[in-house]
Structures are given as C-alpha cells and as structure tokens.
Amino acid sequence: MTGVAPSSSSSSSFAAGGERRRGVRTAFRKERRATEKVRLLGQDIDLVKPEEVMHHVGRWVADGRKAVIANHNMHSLYLVRQSPEMQAFYARADLIELDSTPLMAFARMVGLNSRGFHRCTYLDWRDLFWSVANRKGWRVMYVGGTAEVCRIAAERLSARYPRAVIEARDGYFDVSKGSAENDAVLERIRAFVPQILFVGMGMPRQEAWIAQNLDVLPNAAIFSVGAAFDYEAGAQKTAPRWMGRAGLEWLYRLLGDPKRLFRRYCIEPFHLLDLFAVDIRGAWRRKRGLRSAEKARRATRDAAPALDTRRNA
C-alpha cells in the first residue's frame, strides 16, 4: 500500500509541470444534450470531449455525488456480450466515453455525430485531469497494478502535482465479495475518503469489481482506467498520441505484446460483425426514410402553385 501526501516544498514542481494550460482553452458545452448519447453496436455511448468529461466530473465532485465513468472500445463491446458483470457495470455508468478511433469512424459512417475530439481515454485527458486535481486539491486513489507500480506512480505524480492528495493500492488481492482481503481494500478506500477513485485491474476484472462493490464505495467519481498507473510509473510505454488520433494505437500495442493482444485485436472484432450489420442496416433505413420524407415535401410544395392556379381560374 502506498500513500503520498502533498509536500509544501513542491511549489516549484507545480510551476514547472503542474499546470498544463498554456493558452485559452477552446469552448465546450457545459450542459448535455440528447444527441450526445448515441447507440452504437448495441450499447449506449456518450460523445464528449475530454474537457466536457472533466466538467461533469468536477460538478459531481463538488456535489459530493457518486458517479461511474466508463469507456467503450472493441474489446469491451466483445466482453459485454459475454459477461453479466460487464452488463451490470455499464447499466450503472453515468458517463460512457468512446475509446476507439475506428469506432468513431464507423459512427460517422452510420450518420452519428462523432468527431475526432470525441476520443476519450485516460491517456487523452491525463494531463488535463491532473491539472484540475492539482488546482482543486482533489483526493485521488488508485487501486490496481503492482505495489511497485503504485509506489513509483504515486511519487512521480505527487512531485509534479503537489496539491493533489494521492493514495495507491495494488490490485493483487482476493476480489471475492466478503473475502477478508476485499473487505480490507474497501475499508482502506473508505478511510481515505477519495473524491476520485481510479480502478485499474484490466477488463473485465475492474468493471466486475466496481459493479460488485458500487453500493458500499464512498461518494466519488469512479473511473475504470486499466493500466493508468503503469503508464505513469513507466512500466508500460505509451503510443505517440498521433497514433491514437490516427486509429493506430492498437497496432502499437499489438506489436509490443502480440502474444497477449493478438486475440483482442485480430479475432474479437469478428464476433461483432452482426452488430455492425444491424447498425449499417439501420443507417440505410434512416437515410431512405429521410429521402422519402424530402420527396413528399417537394411533391407537396410543387403541387401548391398548381392548386392555386386552378382556384383562380
């Protein structure tokens, strides 16, 4: 277990790296709208920018509300069809980010309002998040990874963001409901009183754990974040962000760990072909309906002058 509190002597590190914003940040919507939530491959997804995610999280933290922030990609869409625990997790999520450039491209293809800036994952908003956490002095706890990863990541983040209060606990424990280890982890989380809880134990373990324990977790913004602290500790290398924007991050990860990730990236997507077909068929029907409606409007408009001519005669 690793806990790192902010140091009063770290103001210089904050000035050097704690505040990511250099210029005027682009505007974003502060209220959610109906077209923000879409249905893609049978699942609800929110089309939000990283700034919008942080706005909603900030509001939930200020209100002292418990909220779950999830994300969907090809792997999760495959797993949700196999696992009742995954289904339960997404059913209780307050915000579901889209973590897949190929899925964004498909969403545009079927007529949904998806754009490149809607790609949201920890690596996309990490700097923004820690800047906000530092500015507001948030209490952040991470559960996942090894004890060494937790120690190094917490130390590095605390040095860079000294106003944030950071606690980390490894994810190697018996997650069975009612087990002594699981109860001890839950008690440690409650004692820390986090405003942000990151759970990074990999899919579907982290989602199942959140769903199983959600009712007894403290009021906090709860994220499923995978290997977030592995990246912060340098235990895993991050793909260049241009590869993420180009939809090639999966290739970077596959080449780095082909034995573990081959099935995820090269086989699992084929199990979703029926869902792709459903969405394509639905898009075609909507397009045909719009064409029919437009044709009817034109016919009505063209018929109006002829009717007026006959009346005048």
Side-chain angles (χ1 to χ4, degrees), residues 205-244:
R205 191 171 186 256
Q206 61 194 13
E207 287 80 11
W209 186 84
I210 293 172
Q212 173 182 286
N213 297 286
L214 185 57
D215 291 335
V216 296
L217 287 171
N219 289 343
I222 303 169
F223 291 78
S224 57
V225 292
F229 268 32
D230 287 72
Y231 294 119
E232 300 296 354
Q236 286 194 34
K237 293 183 178 180
T238 61
R241 297 325 296 150
W242 70 264
M243 294 189 75

Side-chain angles (χ1 to χ4, degrees), residues 6 59 79 102 116 124 150 152 162 187 196 233 235 246 284:
R59 186 166 56 186
L79 290 174
D124 295 311
C150 288
I152 295 173
E187 181 56 35
I196 305 292
W284 179 77

